[in-house]
Amino acid sequence: MAFAPQDPRIPDPSDPVINEGRVDYVPTPISVTRARRHATRLIADWGHPALADDTALIVSELATNA
């Protein structure tokens, strides 16, 4: 008996908590700074302030290349 896939909009109580945030930016140089600051703020708010520097670096690279 096959099971239908669960609706992704309904959280599965057995899954770990996943946090997400989304902001759309216009393609200007200041957007890289804004994206970096937003991401580091989110990661700290989610309880992982030790990852803020790594997050800033990754977001800067992604936003700059986008």
Side-chain angles (χ1 to χ4, degrees), residues 13-55:
S14 65
D15 283 345
V17 175
I18 297 175
N19 297 310
E20 61 182 69
R22 178 183 169 157
V23 178
D24 292 328
Y25 295 99
V26 295
T28 61
I30 192 66
S31 294
V32 175
T33 302
R34 290 179 179 159
R36 183 178 57 242
R37 288 181 182 164
H38 180 73
T40 55
R41 191 175 328 116
L42 281 178
I43 203 77
D45 289 348
W46 293 340
H48 304 286
L51 299 175
D53 290 340
D54 292 337
T55 301

